Amino acid sequence: DGGITQSPKYLFRKEGQNVTLSCEQNLNHDAMYWYRQDPGQGLRLIYYSQIVNDFQKGDIAEGYSVSREKKESFPLTVTSAQKNPTAFYLCASSIGRDVDEQYFGPGTRLTVT
Amino acid sequence: LAKTTQPISMDSYEGQEVNITCSHNNIATNDYITWYQQFPSQGPRFIIQGYKTKVTNEVASLFIPADRKSSTLSLPRVSLSDTAVYYCLVGDLTSGTYKYIFGTGTRLKVLA
């Protein structure tokens, strides 16, 4: 089955700790994305990557970091510098050319207390 | 980047046709219009994409007038399971980065 997976579904952390969210895809897509969604709001782009070993900041990259060492994987680290990390995090991938369809994972709900 | 404006919410009854209109006055020549659907606590799902005139697939139709400054997503005979948030996006090709801007979307509630 081809798809995009995120783990874990729910994650709880104490304030001041870094946490890494996993995103894996087996769709052979070049492009991958991380979004953040707050209650009742739309999605905001954190980081995106069009190719392995390359990534770009989105609209709200401060306090986050990513890596793209493999085509299939695009982990997101929420650092202690992120002031309001509690949110629903969504990972997506796309073929990577033109304006094409983005496939989303099931999301990770992060709660920081 | 082209910005989109759509109604915050809409109510409909089962079996009715629902039309959700999106404004994108600053759409660029090479931009496409894409609609996504999102259920609570899930990732958005692609519904339909078009450039001009009319596009139809098994779940929806997309109507785009000649000036492309707006578009209308049409959902025929909605059911309770169509209750969701619908996002209108305009594809950003200006820098070749395939970035989308998701607004707050339209919250559709289908009533029995």
Side-chain angles (χ1 to χ4, degrees):
Chain A
D1 256 351
I4 181 165
T5 58
Q6 293 183 244
S7 61
K9 192 167 178 61
Y10 299 95
L11 190 54
F12 298 88
R13 279 293 183 272
K14 293 290 186 184
E15 194 173 323
Q17 293 179 333
N18 291 354
V19 59
T20 297
L21 281 58
S22 167
C23 177
E24 304 279 333
Q25 55 99 359
N26 60 5
L27 299 167
N28 199 34
H29 285 171
D30 285 322
M32 297 187 74
Y33 311 79
W34 273 106
Y35 294 91
R36 168 186 173 135
Q37 187 171 37
D38 293 290
Q41 303 298 311
L43 284 70
R44 291 185 289 169
L45 183 64
I46 305 173
Y47 269 98
Y48 63 99
S49 167
Q50 294 175 257
I51 198 168
V52 174
N53 292 322
D54 183 60
F55 49 83
Q56 311 294 330
K57 291 182 179 180
D59 302 318
I60 55 165
E62 185 176 347
Y64 300 97
S65 65
V66 294
S67 62
R68 187 83 187 279
E69 297 176 0
K70 298 187 299 182
K71 188 175 185 177
E72 306 78 30
S73 179
F74 192 40
L76 172 75
T77 297
V78 184
T79 75
S80 57
Q82 168 50 233
K83 299 193 186 315
N84 296 297
T86 294
F88 187 47
Y89 290 89
L90 286 158
C91 179
S93 70
S94 68
I95 294 174
R97 57 174 184 272
D98 297 328
V99 184
D100 57 345
E101 177 181 349
Q102 290 191 14
Y103 293 77
F104 283 82
T108 292
R109 191 167 298 279
L110 173 65
T111 302
V112 176
T113 57
Chain B
L1 298 176
K3 180 183 174 183
T4 61
T5 303
Q6 50 184 125
I8 293 174
S9 64
M10 294 179 68
D11 287 348
S12 180
Y13 288 94
E14 278 191 294
Q16 288 187 332
E17 177 185 77
V18 170
N19 295 309
I20 306 175
T21 297
C22 178
S23 297
H24 27 79
N25 291 316
N26 297 323
I27 190 168
T29 302
N30 293 330
D31 285 349
Y32 280 69
I33 299 149
T34 309
W35 286 81
Y36 281 79
Q37 174 193 57
Q38 186 182 26
F39 298 112
S41 297
Q42 295 185 25
R45 183 175 67 110
F46 174 92
I47 300 175
I48 197 165
Q49 184 180 80
Y51 183 80
K52 62 180 179 180
T53 62
K54 177 184 175 182
V55 180
T56 297
N57 61 22
E58 62 276 9
V59 297
S61 294
L62 178 60
F63 299 92
I64 306 168
D67 67 6
R68 304 201 326 123
K69 293 185 182 300
S70 67
S71 59
T72 298
L73 174 72
S74 181
L75 304 172
R77 297 180 299 281
V78 294
S79 64
L80 295 175
S81 62
D82 292 316
T83 294
V85 177
Y86 292 83
Y87 296 97
C88 165
L89 300 91
V90 174
D92 172 21
L93 290 181
T94 58
S95 55
T97 56
Y98 323 123
K99 285 171 60 179
Y100 284 120
I101 297 177
F102 283 80
T104 53
T106 296
R107 193 171 298 273
L108 173 66
K109 185 174 182 180
V110 179
L111 306 169

